[in-house]
Amino acid sequence: MSATPSHDTVPASTTPPAPSFASGVWLVAQREMATRLRSKSFTISAAILVLGVLAAVLLGGIFGGSTESTKVAVVGSAAQVVGSTEGLESVDVATRAEGEELLRSGDVSAIVLPSSGTPPVTVVGLDSPPQGVLAALSIQPDVELLDPASQPTGLIYIVALGFGIVFMMSALTFGTMIAQSVVEEKQTRIVEILLSTVSARVLLAGKVVGNSLLALGQIAAIAIAAVVGMMVTGQKVLLGTVGPAVAWFVVFFVIGFVLLAAIYAAAASLVSRSEDIGSVTSPVMILIMVPYFLVIFFNDNPTVMAIMSYVPFSAPVGMPVRIFLGTAEWWEPILSLAVLVASTAVVIVLGARVYSNSLLRTGARVKVSDALRG
């Protein structure tokens, strides 16, 4: 009697299904972030940058004020509030008009008037909030200005310098990392293994997302350090002035960095050796450094700043500075952001094409025109 044939068969080996676009992007992004965070040089440089910003804010708050008593004109019952406040020297005046004469002549730094509202006094400054007086008082009074100015010249320069340096350093640091990662994978032929699992577009998107998240984290840490420094040194008025501009800077930086990251990755894919990275990324570095120098030398030029706020490569610096100065209409940041988003979308499409068509080409440098044609 013949044996009944067995229906149990050994299953054939199957290849795991390729991950979806979203999961593939996240896997690559996680790999990029893990690689960066394991680098001691990256973590140390990031920590130094954050601590440097915190130290600058703290030292500015500590040494920015006068070590001598600040004279303030006091009217009526406001003397009870000023009292023996450390750092303030009261100059009694009969009327506000008399105090305004002293303020305009420079004999006092501010006028303290009695108020019937919840803050028992009102502080009057000349052309900008008298931060030393406000910091010395134990309450948060209302502030009035006789001759309002947009912002003090020195403060404008410091804020413009801060935005310019943070944007330039972060973009250069993470952009260079992306370029080195692309060329390293191409030079060691690891990219061939990666492309057997995910597509070139997924690989590009993952690199951009991973490094963008790291850059955003660094910017957020810098912003938090600056806020903490201002709170510790009692610069609440300055915080209220700079705060909205910082918030817009973070938003613009995120979109602007995605644009630059796509360009860095596409440019690096054109070469196969680490020695050639500089030749293809130099134009991108210029695009990053130009806004820094423009905002330093032309922060008081409304025409230059207006143009900068609508050029995609300089908008992340130009528009926040204009918001800080109060020269931008309410709709301008929205329009500028829309232009930046549209430009970023176009660059991503072109960059993905260059990246996909150049990634497996080794040897001589690939021309951009050839990469675009495929």
Side-chain angles (χ1 to χ4, degrees):
M1 186 174 180
S2 61
T4 303
S6 173
H7 295 284
D8 296 333
T9 58
V10 178
S13 59
T14 58
T15 303
S20 64
F21 182 85
S23 60
V25 169
W26 182 239
L27 285 173
V28 177
Q30 286 181 309
R31 175 176 175 271
E32 288 289 315
M33 291 188 289
T35 302
R36 302 291 171 260
L37 293 176
R38 283 197 298 265
S39 172
K40 290 185 179 180
S41 60
F42 168 74
T43 54
I44 292 175
S45 61
I48 290 176
L49 181 58
V50 174
L51 292 176
V53 171
L54 178 60
V57 175
L58 291 176
L59 292 176
I62 294 173
F63 297 106
S66 175
T67 57
E68 299 178 356
S69 297
T70 301
K71 291 185 178 181
V72 293
V74 181
V75 179
S77 60
Q80 299 176 359
V81 176
V82 176
S84 59
T85 301
E86 185 178 356
L88 296 182
E89 179 181 347
S90 300
V91 178
D92 295 327
V93 293
T95 63
R96 171 171 176 160
E98 185 179 346
E100 289 183 2
E101 291 181 3
L102 295 176
L103 181 59
R104 294 184 185 278
S105 64
D107 294 330
V108 296
S109 299
I111 308 171
V112 183
L113 304 172
S115 174
S116 58
T118 301
V121 296
T122 297
V123 175
V124 181
L126 182 59
D127 56 1
S128 61
Q131 295 183 21
V133 176
L134 297 174
L137 294 173
S138 59
I139 57 175
Q140 188 64 36
D142 295 332
V143 180
E144 297 180 9
L145 300 179
L146 297 182
D147 302 315
S150 56
Q151 293 292 349
T153 303
L155 183 59
I156 293 174
Y157 181 82
I158 292 174
V159 171
L161 178 66
F163 284 152
I165 287 180
V166 171
F167 175 77
M168 181 181 68
M169 294 298 296
S170 298
L172 287 177
T173 299
F174 289 98
T176 302
M177 288 181 179
I178 293 175
Q180 291 175 341
S181 173
V182 171
V183 174
E184 180 182 346
E185 291 173 354
K186 189 174 180 179
Q187 188 173 12
T188 58
R189 308 184 78 89
I190 293 178
V191 67
E192 298 177 7
I193 301 175
L194 296 174
L195 290 179
S196 65
T197 306
V198 297
S199 66
R201 294 180 184 273
V202 170
L203 190 58
L204 172 62
K207 287 184 177 295
V208 172
V209 170
N211 286 276
S212 296
L213 290 175
L214 287 175
L216 176 60
Q218 179 171 286
I219 293 297
I222 291 173
I224 293 173
V227 170
V228 170
M230 292 180 188
M231 295 293 292
V232 170
T233 54
Q235 303 179 70
K236 296 181 180 180
V237 176
L238 177 60
L239 177 60
T241 304
V242 180
V246 172
W248 275 105
F249 173 74
V250 173
V251 174
F252 272 88
F253 176 84
V254 171
I255 306 300
F257 180 79
V258 171
L259 180 148
L260 293 171
I263 296 178
Y264 262 109
S269 68
L270 299 174
V271 297
S272 304
R273 302 186 309 164
S274 57
E275 295 84 356
D276 298 327
I277 293 178
S279 63
V280 293
T281 58
S282 294
V284 192
M285 294 176 63
I286 294 175
L287 291 176
I288 295 173
M289 297 179 68
V290 165
Y292 168 73
F293 290 107
L294 286 178
V295 80
I296 293 302
F297 295 110
F298 298 100
N299 57 74
D300 56 349
N301 188 313
T303 302
V304 174
M305 296 304 299
I307 295 174
M308 284 182 60
S309 62
Y310 289 101
V311 176
F313 300 104
S314 59
V317 177
M319 184 54 75
V321 172
R322 289 187 65 208
I323 293 173
F324 170 71
L325 295 176
T327 58
E329 298 292 338
W330 67 267
W331 50 267
E332 289 193 84
I334 301 175
L335 177 59
S336 176
L337 188 61
V339 172
L340 180 58
V341 170
S343 303
T344 301
V346 173
V347 169
I348 289 176
V349 171
L350 296 177
R353 184 172 180 82
V354 172
Y355 184 83
S356 300
N357 293 334
S358 306
L359 203 55
L360 293 178
R361 297 189 185 185
T362 57
R365 173 178 171 178
V366 181
K367 294 183 180 180
V368 177
S369 57
D370 293 340
L372 287 173
R373 284 196 297 266

